[in-house]
Amino acid sequence: MPATVVVGAQWGDEGKGKIANLLAQEADVVVRYQGGNNAGHTIVIGEETFALSLIPSGVIYPNVTPVIGNGCVVDPAVLLKEMEMLRSRGIDTSHLKLSTNAHLIMPYHRKLDAVRERYLGKQQIGTTKRGIGPAYLDKFARVGIRVQDLYDPGIFRDKLEAVVKETNKVLVKIYNQLAFDPEEIAVEYLGYAERLSAYVADTALFVWEAIRAGKNVIFEGAQGVMLDIDHGTYPFVTSSNPTSGGALTGVGVGPRDIDRVLGLTKAYVSRVGTGPFPTELSDDIGETMVRVGGEYGTVTGRRRRCGWLDSVALRYAVRVGGITELALMKLDVLSEFDTVRIATAYLSEGTTYPEFPRQQGVLYHCTPIYEDHPGWAVDISAVRNWDDLPATARTYVERVEQLAGVPIRLISVGPQRSATFEKP
Ligand code: IMP
């Protein structure tokens, strides 16, 4: 049975929820390995749409045990609300497992996220303001509070008091904000502890045993390789590792436990927040991509920036993301155009960059070198197999595959789970 990592190969929003959900039909375990409620996974099943930000999308199947791994940061109020929403729509959440080692997003993390962004002014990252960065910052500064701390109230209060004391100095003296009362936070969070206790587990052991027992395990990533803290367009990134390496540390398994890494790429590129984006289009074509592709964030509702597919960045994502195969998403959106373009290199100050440049400044000033392909200009949203795609669309897909360097296994032409087919 395969252990599959599902990774975004761009700047997030590639449709990981949809694909993880598709794979989850046959899965036993779906485990989120990084990020928190900055992610937005939209799942469309029949007439129903589910918007999830934290709980793995496999939750809707009774055959799946959904797991939130240690690499995630968890806002307990959001988690409880999401569970409540699912329960009210008839989805059983009783089998959810939450890692004892996941870090908690605290109220002061959300506050710091917002005020730091304001403070950065023109340099701001455009975060989701969910407290993600500050929660990871505390984790690495070793002053974070983990899920397991909730079950040792003495230790929890000690840690909280120490970190709030320091954080309050920063909030009050640097950012001119009100101080937090640690006791108020303690009461709130110990309340969550009670409500979450049934779900807290040694998830690393659980996933390890599932793999050993030959179960089908999906590792569901959030965001994408280009938002990876190490390999993305730093500092315009998220504060965790969406790459497949992050799946190992974020769950607690080894590289040999993974059989395949499925990378997701749209047939074009979108990005929210600030940061370099070589193929960005600020013309009618970009506008059409936003409109037809419905390119507004699930979490924050922000309009996404759009542009042509960038095979330089895609090849890079395949390499550093450990991607072994691809799913090509939203191919139907390109039906709008008579000509479809793919960037195959960047040109900057007389130098051609066929590979992702090591100096990030190049991304801001370069001109993409495009390859033009004839479009298909017919609606393909009802197509359900490879042979029924127009020849021009098949040529385009095969060219993307060639440029990416790994096979495209799946093609998606619409939001419904059924609007996906395999490429032979
Ligand atoms: P943060 O993850 O909230 O700290 O935001 C850091 C950057 O990652 C910002 O540019 C966000 O817009 C972006 N980001 C975070 N989560 C997602 C996501 O799920 N999809 C797309 N972009 C995201």
Side-chain angles (χ1 to χ4, degrees):
M1 278 289 194
T4 302
V5 184
V6 178
V7 173
Q10 299 174 309
W11 278 283
D13 307 318
E14 301 89 352
K16 288 176 292 295
K18 178 182 163 176
I19 294 298
N21 188 258
L22 187 78
L23 300 178
Q25 283 176 280
E26 317 251 294
D28 301 295
V29 177
V30 180
V31 52
R32 266 281 301 269
Y33 57 85
Q34 44 74 231
N37 58 312
N38 49 347
H41 290 171
T42 310
I43 304 149
V44 182
I45 296 170
E47 298 293 300
E48 292 223 69
T49 301
F50 294 88
L52 296 173
S53 66
L54 190 56
I55 298 180
S57 40
V59 66
I60 56 169
Y61 299 111
N63 51 297
V64 167
T65 303
V67 178
I68 299 177
N70 59 276
C72 297
V73 284
V74 177
D75 189 325
V78 173
L79 175 59
L80 286 163
K81 208 164 149 208
E82 211 158 272
M83 289 166 75
E84 191 50 54
M85 178 276 288
L86 287 165
R87 273 198 297 266
S88 72
R89 294 176 68 181
I91 310 281
D92 176 21
T93 57
S94 62
H95 46 325
L96 177 79
K97 294 195 185 300
L98 170 63
S99 170
T100 52
N101 287 352
H103 277 248
L104 293 171
I105 297 179
M106 309 299 287
Y108 47 86
H109 292 142
R110 289 191 299 269
K111 175 60 82 183
L112 281 168
D113 203 355
V115 293
R116 279 196 185 125
E117 278 285 272
R118 277 211 297 275
Y119 199 73
L120 282 171
K122 275 195 354 214
Q123 305 292 326
Q124 70 174 233
I125 296 160
T127 74
T128 58
K129 299 197 176 70
R130 300 296 194 263
I132 308 295
Y136 278 112
L137 184 62
D138 277 0
K139 169 176 174 171
F140 287 97
R142 295 167 293 181
V143 293
I145 295 180
R146 297 188 292 175
V147 168
Q148 60 175 282
D149 295 327
L150 293 173
Y151 301 95
D152 199 332
I155 288 192
F156 176 70
R157 281 199 157 86
D158 285 351
K159 286 187 175 180
L160 187 64
E161 206 160 300
V163 69
V164 170
K165 198 167 153 195
E166 189 190 354
T167 305
N168 275 344
K169 288 211 169 93
V170 175
L171 281 169
V172 173
K173 297 204 167 137
I174 301 180
Y175 297 111
N176 203 21
Q177 299 293 312
L178 293 176
F180 280 92
D181 174 6
E183 188 47 32
E184 214 173 280
I185 300 176
V187 170
E188 179 189 342
Y189 274 63
L190 291 172
Y192 299 141
E194 231 175 276
R195 294 170 65 196
L196 286 172
S197 67
Y199 310 99
V200 177
D202 182 344
T203 53
L205 178 64
F206 177 78
V207 172
W208 188 84
E209 284 177 345
I211 292 173
R212 290 296 169 286
K215 301 263 173 76
N216 185 347
V217 181
I218 310 293
F219 295 73
E220 181 179 325
Q223 293 86 43
V225 173
M226 303 307 288
L227 286 171
D228 187 275
I229 185 85
D230 285 283
H231 301 288
T233 48
Y234 189 93
F236 305 105
V237 292
T238 193
S239 300
S240 61
N241 290 113
T243 43
S244 53
L248 307 182
T249 53
V251 176
V253 296
R256 294 176 67 173
D257 289 318
I258 305 292
D259 300 292
R260 62 175 178 153
V261 181
L262 177 64
L264 269 64
T265 174
K266 285 180 190 170
Y268 52 100
V269 180
S270 73
R271 163 163 214 177
V272 274
T274 35
F277 179 177
T279 61
E280 181 171 13
L281 296 167
S282 40
D283 58 7
D284 284 354
I285 296 177
E287 198 48 54
T288 305
M289 288 171 176
V290 173
R291 182 174 45 82
V292 179
E295 296 294 352
Y296 293 91
T298 321
V299 175
T300 58
R302 288 180 292 176
R303 181 189 187 281
R304 298 180 184 140
R305 302 150 66 195
C306 286
W308 294 114
L309 186 68
D310 179 347
S311 74
V312 183
L314 181 58
R315 203 159 45 245
Y316 172 75
V318 164
R319 174 161 57 84
V320 302
I323 292 168
T324 58
E325 55 199 83
L326 285 169
L328 185 65
M329 311 299 290
K330 289 193 157 182
L331 184 61
D332 54 308
V333 174
L334 294 192
S335 301
E336 296 290 316
F337 309 112
D338 293 333
T339 299
V340 289
R341 312 189 92 182
I342 309 173
T344 55
Y346 307 142
L347 181 67
S348 178
E349 295 178 354
T351 304
T352 303
Y353 294 85
E355 295 301 331
F356 203 67
R358 62 170 196 209
Q359 194 67 30
Q360 194 162 299
V362 172
L363 297 181
Y364 289 92
H365 308 298
C366 67
T367 313
I369 300 175
Y370 286 112
E371 192 176 85
D372 285 355
H373 292 263
W376 38 97
V378 288
D379 182 9
I380 57 168
S381 58
V383 172
R384 293 294 177 267
N385 74 69
W386 173 248
D387 292 329
D388 291 341
L389 272 183
T392 43
R394 275 183 279 141
T395 306
Y396 170 83
V397 173
E398 281 166 345
R399 182 60 180 147
V400 174
E401 189 170 57
Q402 195 180 36
L403 289 164
V406 288
I408 291 175
R409 297 270 189 232
L410 283 174
I411 296 175
S412 170
V413 290
Q416 292 291 341
R417 199 171 49 191
S418 59
T420 309
F421 55 90
E422 289 185 11
K423 178 183 172 297

